[in-house]
Amino acid sequence: MKNKEITAPFGLHWFRRDLRLRGNPGLCWNLEKTRGRVLGIFFFDGSFLARPDFSANRFAFFMASLKRLQEELRERGGDLLVLDGGPEAGFQKLFELLSQRGHPKPATLSFNRDYEPFARARDGAIENFILPLGIELHTERDHLLVEPDEISKDGKPGSFYQVYSPFARRWFEKLLEPEVQNRIRLADKKPVDPCLTWAEPLGHEAQRLDQLESYIAENSKAVTIPIPPAGPAAARAALKRFQNKIDDYARDRDYPAQGGGSGLSIYFKNGSLTIAQAIAELELGREKFATKDGRSTFLRELCWREFYYHILFHCPWVEKQSFVAKYRNIQWENSKKHFELWKNGQTGYPVVDAAMRQLKQTGLMHNRARMIVASFLTKHLLIDWRWGDRYFMKMLLDGDMAANNGGWQWAASTGCDPQPYFRVFNPTLQGEKFDADGEYIRRYVPELRALSTKSIHNPSSIERAAAGYPEPIVEHAAARLRAIRRYQ
Ligand SMILES: Cc1cc2nc3c(=O)[nH]c(=O)nc-3n(C[C@H](O)[C@H](O)[C@H](O)COP(=O)(O)OP(=O)(O)OC[C@H]3O[C@@H](n4cnc5c(N)ncnc54)[C@H](O)[C@@H]3O)c2cc1C
């Protein structure tokens, strides 16, 4: 039996990494277009589980974010269906079900753009599948404030920046443009209240299609860390906490024990919050590139994120190989034994070990510590940056291809605008400088807790033996020289 819900036009919004309602541009467009008759969908692709960068912990956080989204939609009378199979199979299944029940196809489909190579190929295929069906397809920007092709070198279409500073200068100028200012202003625009009653006629069948609970239950067995609070409310709470600290950000951000960062990367990753929303809430956007205060420094960090997306978009091959061609044939040592010791925080360099253990215990690592351990792996141990990149993606809750790849290639000196190859961090000095009183080391390397601040960064052999802590697996000066020679 048909009723008015069945025949009135409705839309689908395909959620991917935009897991929120508030200020969601694709969803807002669709809600306006269909007068609030939008069903949220998410396609779970089983092949994702087999990807080398799959992380059960990050997946658990993602699923928790998805769950919040589903709850939020249900509270408003709408719904989110989490469908099995990739998007093409999922769309087909949904359309078949609609047709069996006498519903028309959806009038609209919206989604927000993604820039990773895999996602771009997938979205292209879906466009080709959807458009011939007469469904109006609409995509929006969401994940980035300035999209990768909106900044080009010397204004030449298709050209791109390979060096951060000129890119960032341009990005800061771009933020002042009225269109971008307007976008920041609208970033928090609430979607019209959804009244998604059309999902009702799908009845129990829709609920049976929904796989979210079973994914959560199945994956939870593999989770190894406490999963932080997920979803937009948790993201807003983190943002509020950071609001009180932003003026000290330039000073505090480099010290792993201080927690001077915003803690927002996990929320940006899934779109529980966007950088446009953070900029709006923190009342940023008119700062100057070169100013050294907390607010400009924070904006420059957000800009690193957009820079690495700019690079990944224009050079998708960086996912698999070095940006700089001459470093594609570095003769890596690739010692499996050293790699295991590094992963397990047993290198004998306290700050490196603290960082690696933080990663294992929390799924996160402070930015300074990421730089130290990535430099140590690639330079001291001469292990291929791709091994480290992959391990980080397995472990990090905020694991994000563009930023992770950019960070690794920066540290390994193989990327665009990298750390010069001859700059090899001395891990002991890095510890002394950025963890002066050893608080970070004491937190994650408990066997060294009782050591004095003077010796904690480089314990004597006697202290190591007494604490059950290993000798350094490589000697710094010799490893440094070996790395420089190898790169030369
Ligand atoms: C080897 C290596 C791997 C990294 N892997 C990732 C990753 O997988 N995902 C990820 O989000 N960040 C990654 N980073 C960047 C950075 O370490 C994290 O973004 C940051 O530690 C997250 O904490 P926060 O949100 O408190 O950062 P804040 O200091 O508060 O910075 C604010 C935001 O700016 C962005 N940002 C900050 N620093 C960088 C940077 N160097 N590159 C790109 N974006 C940045 C992030 O979105 C971050 O949330 C990596 C850095 C290195 C050196």
Side-chain angles (χ1 to χ4, degrees), residues 249 261-265 298 301 305 367 370 398-400 403-404:
Y249 178 76
S262 64
L264 292 174
S265 56
F298 183 68
E301 293 309 313
R305 179 176 179 270
N367 180 57
R370 293 185 206 207
D398 67 4
D400 187 281
N404 194 48

Side-chain angles (χ1 to χ4, degrees), residues 427-449:
T428 308
L429 294 184
Q430 288 284 314
E432 285 170 358
K433 186 164 176 198
F434 295 107
D435 186 33
D437 53 12
E439 191 184 337
Y440 182 59
I441 295 173
R442 287 196 179 85
R443 196 176 301 157
Y444 291 106
V445 190
E447 62 269 38
L448 299 182
R449 218 168 256 166

Side-chain angles (χ1 to χ4, degrees), residues 90-319:
F91 275 124
Q92 258 156 3
K93 202 189 294 176
L94 186 61
F95 295 163
E96 270 162 33
L97 183 69
L98 287 166
S99 138
Q100 279 162 17
R101 304 214 132 219
H103 302 314
K105 283 206 177 62
T108 54
L109 170 68
S110 54
F111 60 83
N112 294 313
R113 291 188 283 272
D114 194 339
Y115 312 92
E116 290 186 1
F118 164 82
R120 284 166 69 191
R122 175 199 61 199
D123 293 352
I126 289 301
E127 277 187 43
N128 292 337
F129 166 68
I130 289 291
L131 288 174
L133 301 177
I135 297 170
E136 186 179 357
L137 179 68
H138 184 83
T139 73
E140 286 270 358
R141 158 220 325 270
D142 185 54
H143 196 59
L144 300 177
L145 180 59
V146 179
E147 292 191 296
D149 54 355
E150 286 181 311
I151 290 189
S152 56
K153 205 171 166 196
D154 311 322
K156 289 189 202 121
S159 65
F160 63 98
Y161 282 96
Q162 303 188 21
V163 178
Y164 170 76
S165 294
F167 172 87
R169 279 205 186 84
R170 190 65 203 95
W171 190 84
F172 272 69
E173 280 166 18
K174 193 113 187 114
L175 258 52
L176 297 175
E177 290 176 5
E179 189 265 322
V180 181
Q181 286 286 326
N182 198 37
R183 214 162 344 104
I184 293 171
R185 201 175 50 76
L186 294 177
D188 262 350
K189 194 176 143 209
K190 292 208 167 82
V192 286
D193 245 1
C195 55
L196 307 156
T197 50
W198 80 270
E200 244 169 58
L202 284 178
H204 296 309
E205 255 176 284
Q207 298 295 327
R208 270 201 285 118
L209 277 180
D210 185 69
Q211 296 291 320
L212 183 55
E213 295 301 338
S214 61
Y215 287 134
I216 290 175
E218 187 54 33
N219 185 64
S220 66
K221 296 172 204 152
V223 171
T224 57
I225 56 168
I227 301 299
R236 292 280 162 172
L239 186 60
K240 267 258 137 354
R241 287 193 295 277
F242 181 60
Q243 207 152 25
N244 302 321
K245 302 197 296 187
I246 189 168
D247 290 326
D248 298 327
Y249 178 76
R251 190 192 63 206
D252 293 348
R253 62 179 287 268
D254 247 338
Y255 300 96
Q258 308 304 324
S262 64
L264 292 174
S265 56
I266 50 174
Y267 301 112
F268 291 147
K269 159 84 190 179
N270 296 339
S272 294
L273 184 77
T274 62
I275 75 162
Q277 290 178 321
I279 289 173
E281 188 75 26
L282 296 167
E283 295 176 15
L284 302 173
R286 297 191 174 277
E287 286 65 21
K288 292 204 167 57
F289 167 65
T291 312
K292 297 283 179 244
D293 66 343
R295 306 170 82 79
S296 311
T297 308
F298 183 68
L299 264 190
R300 280 196 297 278
E301 293 309 313
L302 295 180
C303 181
W304 271 108
R305 179 176 179 270
E306 304 230 323
F307 176 61
Y308 285 139
Y309 268 101
H310 181 73
I311 296 296
L312 182 64
F313 182 84
H314 289 285
C315 315
W317 35 265
V318 294
E319 183 190 350

Side-chain angles (χ1 to χ4, degrees), residues 51-88:
R51 276 173 61 146
D53 61 356
F54 175 76
S55 154
N57 294 335
R58 192 167 58 251
F59 188 55
F61 183 70
F62 185 84
M63 288 287 127
S65 310
L66 213 47
K67 181 87 192 138
R68 295 287 91 76
L69 178 68
Q70 190 178 59
E71 285 163 1
E72 221 184 318
L73 277 161
R74 285 181 179 169
E75 275 159 23
R76 290 161 172 246
D79 210 345
L80 172 77
L81 291 187
V82 179
L83 299 174
D84 215 357
E88 197 162 327

